[in-house]
Amino acid sequence: MGIQTSLDDVRATTRLVDAMRAADDLAFVASRNSGVRTTRVLSAAIGGDDQLTAIAAVHALGRVFDESAEQVLVDLLSHDRAFIREHASWALGARLPRVDAVAQMIETAVAGGFAGMLAQRTLQQWGTAAPDVIAVAIEAALVGVVDLHARARLVETLGVVPTRVSTRVLLRVARAAREDQVVRVAAVAALGDRAGDATTVAALSELAAGAGYLSTVARLAIVDLTASAPEPSSWRPGLTVAQLFLHADIDPQLSQAGRGDNGGIATLLVRLGDALARDTAPTAHPIARVITLSRGSAEQAMDSLHDAASNELGHIYGAVPLLSEPVPAPAAWPLRIAAERGIRRILRAAGDVHALHLRMADVGSLAAANVARDLGIPMVFTVAPDPHAVITNLDLAGELTRENFGDVDTSEHFWFRARLVQRLAADSAHTVLFPRPELARDMSELVGIDITAHPERHTVVPEGIDLAVVDTAVAEAADHAAGVAATLPISELRELVSALPVKRRGLPLVVSVGRLHRVKGMAMIVDAWAGSDLRERCNLLIVGGNLDTPSADEREQLARIDATVPAHERMASGLILAGHRRNDTVARWIAASRFGLPGLSAPGGIYVCGSLKEEFGIALLEAMAAGLMVVAPDGGGPATYVRHGDTGFLTGTSTAAPLERAISAALAAVVGEQNATRGTNDRPSRSRATVADNFTIEAMATALARVYSDVHANAEADSSVLSR
């Protein structure tokens, strides 16, 4: 196939996800047809209105190995469109260092953000081939940079360039009392990755002897500097499995649950780790230890090193210090180097990690995958069509087009995340999949993975919930509806509902729980409710988000909600925005919406999930286990367990109209249940049985334990072959 034909194929595809996959073919054809004509054809495609094709052309140029293509990529670093500059910076990382591009790459790294991370990666890759050139350029740039965080980014970048020049500068900055602490911390942390010469050891030892944050980071750097390759611990029985969610403060008590990104995935990993550690299902290699890694302070990181290195079995926790204030996951890409360093430290200390399970296409998985390759740890990756399903839904809704794809991509990073999913899936020893009605088709068409080719490498594992938590919540809510005094969580809900006008107190509650993010569809739910007679039939309770200091994503959703129901009219209209809450509190609120709050809300509430994509739906399962009628997306995991017209209603979620119809039908169905002959309504029992029979945390742990056991057995077999 010629380059023009391949480019035409990218342009001709109807769906955006198909065009992204066609871009892979374009890059391959470009690599086989290097030359001036190929460069000319691809360069012409970059200047048009089709932003998606422009991105494809940039990455195809990255595969054309001649001077003309390289010069175009360098010139694109000065392009007037930000997404072109960003992708050119990324594409240049696969090329040999370009002296004429180093200054622009450093300038981008200084600016920070996602583009800065890409530039930093390219400088790191170039630093392996021309370390002195890169180090001298960064050192020179430091002279003219005053902003503290920009200086810290430059110092951090210098730390991944392996040369004596960078070591000399890092030592100077680490010792410089005139430098701000944030800059010195970057230098000290980087010194832990250097060769352990006497000067470096002495400098770190001196800094570590003090007190305070800088000294703690110096002690961590000494750990890094003196760490040796992990040795198997023959005295420790069973397997050690690590799991990761970087963007939360995870602890055994779930004390931070409901705050920021400490949502469903954080709760799931705590309960899953506990269940894995106590799982007694027979496997060839039982799980003895589970290490759950998440962000934490430098002090917590020091403490968790002891736990990781000890002979303690069961579920333990490892803290990854990001040397930064906590930031939401979408903004965390610039923390890649700190994340990689902290993850490596914990896994080294653990000594013998037999599998590392990654679940997200985020900076934590990007960093952890690099560490796993370095340490020879087999990876297990939960593959989901994310961001592919989001792209498809936005495409269908007309919100994402070829003409705006690049502009949207600068904030959503769809291209990078989609490529990261492909890379993690390809590098994993085993992939875990969520159930979907057309799983094989969706994985092939959306992600480009043929799970039928090597079925032994893929296992479908549904997520699970802790049924005991839900059952306790149901019992408390039922008791309160029967006249028992409210527990504290239900009292909190009563306080919120009591602020509604008296005329609205006889209505049932429609509940939705999740992050205030476009993907979760909270604003769409409000649109569906407020733009119809639903507003007169029920009150709407939205649980999630930081209402006090909202992130950019949360502000976007709040602005959309306010455009539909102005903030000063919310309570009068029946809209309650409750913000984030702990998981056990949310469980009580969901149950209370079923049974009602005496004097405040009627029984017969329902649960609504308006997500553009929902891979499985933990909150949906909790609502079903509590006996609620649910409304759920008609694609992804929910379509495999919600029985349409019985336990819930499946609907499209890309626009408000079908969502409104589904909510209306669900409310009517519950009214029908209430009017049915007493004793004939067993739908709540069927809903709970669906969860109890298939989707408990114990069942999830048993299935994953088999996966980890098989991964270890295969790794041992491979090692045996290599040692012959």
Side-chain angles (χ1 to χ4, degrees):
M1 182 185 294
I3 190 66
Q4 187 64 61
T5 301
S6 184
L7 186 62
D8 289 343
D9 286 347
V10 175
R11 288 174 170 143
T13 50
T14 303
R15 299 191 313 166
L16 298 180
V17 290
D18 292 338
M20 293 175 69
R21 291 223 312 281
D24 291 335
D25 296 332
L26 176 66
F28 176 75
V29 171
S31 71
R32 303 291 294 271
N33 293 272
S34 295
V36 175
R37 180 177 180 278
T38 295
T39 299
R40 185 169 60 247
V41 170
L42 293 173
S43 298
I46 295 171
D49 294 332
D50 185 340
Q51 295 185 359
L52 189 149
T53 298
I55 294 173
V58 170
H59 287 283
L61 278 170
R63 299 285 296 276
V64 179
F65 288 96
D66 64 32
E67 174 62 27
S68 64
E70 286 194 0
Q71 189 57 57
V72 171
L73 287 172
V74 172
D75 293 342
L76 291 177
L77 294 176
S78 302
H79 200 277
D80 59 354
R81 291 192 288 188
F83 74 89
I84 294 293
R85 298 194 300 270
E86 185 174 289
H87 285 274
S89 175
W90 175 6
L92 278 166
R95 312 302 291 255
L96 291 173
R98 292 280 306 202
V99 175
D100 54 345
V102 170
Q104 287 172 289
M105 209 67 73
I106 291 174
E107 183 179 340
T108 304
V110 167
F114 181 79
M117 183 275 291
L118 291 177
Q120 194 178 54
R121 286 174 79 232
T122 294
L123 289 168
Q124 182 177 3
Q125 289 158 342
W126 285 358
T128 61
D132 288 340
V133 172
I134 305 301
V136 169
I138 296 174
E139 181 182 16
L142 268 172
V143 175
V145 174
V146 177
D147 179 80
L148 299 180
H149 294 287
R151 287 183 66 80
R153 283 192 290 273
L154 277 178
V155 170
E156 181 183 63
T157 307
L158 195 64
V160 295
V161 180
T163 175
R164 292 181 180 179
V165 175
S166 55
T167 302
R168 171 178 52 79
V169 178
L170 292 172
L171 283 167
R172 186 182 71 224
V173 173
R175 288 168 162 162
R178 67 181 182 280
E179 287 279 8
D180 189 86
Q181 179 171 266
V182 68
V183 184
R184 296 181 70 190
V185 161
V188 169
L191 284 171
D193 296 334
R194 321 307 291 183
D197 61 87
T199 304
T200 302
V201 172
L204 289 176
S205 298
E206 179 182 344
L207 291 167
Y213 178 47
L214 184 65
S215 295
T216 304
V217 175
R219 288 192 284 275
L220 289 172
I222 291 174
V223 172
D224 296 337
L225 195 67
T226 58
S228 57
E231 295 291 337
S233 300
S234 58
W235 47 265
R236 188 183 287 138
L239 300 185
T240 294
V241 174
Q243 56 180 3
L244 169 76
F245 181 58
L246 193 63
H247 313 293
D249 308 291
I250 303 180
D251 62 82
Q253 293 77 34
L254 290 169
S255 61
Q256 303 296 317
R259 297 181 58 187
D261 288 319
N262 294 275
I265 182 63
T267 301
L268 175 71
L269 293 188
V270 169
R271 291 177 175 156
L272 176 60
D274 292 345
L276 281 167
R278 65 175 180 260
D279 183 62
T280 57
T283 59
H285 306 280
I287 309 299
R289 284 200 309 168
V290 178
I291 304 175
T292 296
L293 291 85
S294 66
R295 71 189 179 201
S297 67
E299 291 81 3
Q300 290 170 327
M302 284 296 301
D303 293 339
S304 64
L305 282 174
H306 176 269
D307 295 335
S310 72
N311 61 357
E312 181 179 354
L313 304 180
H315 190 186
I316 63 178
Y317 295 81
V320 178
L322 299 177
L323 309 183
S324 161
E325 291 297 319
V327 296
W333 293 100
L335 305 179
R336 176 186 64 90
I337 291 175
E340 194 168 315
R341 190 177 288 130
I343 293 167
R344 179 179 290 107
R345 185 183 301 123
I346 290 289
L347 296 184
R348 272 180 172 168
D352 53 349
V353 177
H354 302 98
L356 172 62
H357 195 151
L358 306 178
R359 289 177 166 83
M360 316 282 284
D362 62 3
V363 70
S365 292
L366 175 65
N370 291 335
V371 174
R373 279 189 291 273
D374 291 346
L375 300 183
I377 299 172
M379 285 193 301
V380 175
F381 179 52
T382 295
V383 185
D386 180 19
H388 314 76
V390 177
I391 294 170
T392 298
N393 280 323
L394 293 175
D395 186 3
L396 292 172
E399 296 183 34
L400 186 65
T401 66
R402 287 175 170 274
E403 290 70 32
N404 71 359
F405 187 95
D407 295 329
V408 174
D409 194 58
T410 57
S411 59
E412 298 293 341
H413 322 308
F414 286 143
W415 200 280
F416 187 88
R417 288 162 53 203
R419 295 301 184 267
L420 180 57
V421 168
Q422 293 173 333
R423 172 185 157 190
L424 291 172
D427 290 349
S428 293
H430 202 93
T431 60
V432 171
L433 307 162
F434 293 118
R436 298 174 71 88
E438 299 289 343
L439 178 60
R441 183 202 66 189
D442 288 350
M443 296 306 295
S444 176
E445 293 186 0
L446 294 176
V447 188
I449 297 175
D450 182 3
I451 64 173
T452 65
H454 295 281
E456 72 281 0
R457 290 191 57 223
H458 312 286
T459 301
V460 177
V461 180
E463 289 186 338
I465 67 168
D466 189 335
L467 205 55
V469 173
V470 176
D471 287 344
T472 299
V474 168
E476 291 181 8
D479 286 346
H480 179 59
V484 176
T487 58
L488 179 59
I490 295 178
S491 294
E492 292 174 356
L493 179 59
R494 288 188 63 89
E495 183 177 353
L496 287 172
V497 177
S498 66
L500 296 173
V502 174
K503 66 179 181 179
R504 302 198 63 89
R505 292 185 181 177
L507 300 177
L509 277 176
V510 170
V511 184
S512 189
V513 180
R515 293 177 293 123
L516 291 184
H517 188 282
R518 179 176 58 184
V519 170
K520 292 298 183 182
M522 294 302 191
M524 188 67 73
I525 294 173
V526 174
D527 288 345
W529 170 81
S532 67
D533 68 342
L534 291 174
R535 190 195 293 232
E536 306 308 319
R537 295 166 59 190
C538 59
N539 295 314
L540 178 60
L541 172 63
I542 301 291
V543 185
N546 188 332
L547 304 183
D548 296 326
T549 56
S551 66
D553 291 325
E554 291 169 335
R555 288 195 298 272
E556 184 271 337
Q557 285 290 286
L558 289 170
R560 282 193 56 185
I561 291 171
D562 288 346
T564 303
V565 181
H568 67 278
E569 297 179 9
R570 286 177 192 163
M571 299 307 290
S573 299
L575 173 61
I576 303 174
L577 300 187
H580 55 76
R581 303 286 168 150
R582 289 174 58 95
N583 177 261
D584 54 356
T585 295
V586 172
R588 270 82 176 163
W589 289 11
I590 289 174
S593 71
R594 172 188 169 190
F595 294 100
L597 299 170
L600 293 177
S601 70
I606 66 170
Y607 183 88
V608 178
C609 173
S611 297
L612 283 176
K613 63 97 186 173
E614 189 63 65
E615 300 309 333
F616 204 67
I618 289 293
L620 270 168
L621 289 176
E622 291 175 336
M624 286 182 63
L628 266 72
M629 180 74 74
V630 300
V631 172
D634 57 6
T640 66
Y641 59 79
V642 176
R643 292 193 291 273
H644 183 71
D646 179 21
T647 57
F649 290 83
L650 298 170
T651 182
T653 54
S654 57
T655 59
L659 191 58
E660 181 272 320
R661 290 192 293 269
I663 296 172
S664 180
L667 285 169
V670 174
V671 171
E673 292 176 355
Q674 293 171 332
N675 293 334
T677 303
R678 183 178 298 276
T680 63
N681 176 28
D682 63 351
R683 196 273 312 155
S685 298
R686 293 196 304 278
S687 292
R688 184 189 183 281
T690 297
V691 179
D693 293 345
N694 304 283
F695 306 119
T696 64
I697 197 69
E698 291 79 13
M700 183 182 183
T702 296
L704 286 177
R706 294 193 192 101
V707 169
Y708 303 144
S709 178
D710 290 346
V711 165
H712 177 61
N714 292 335
E716 282 193 321
D718 292 342
S719 298
S720 176
V721 171
L722 290 174
S723 64
R724 290 176 185 171

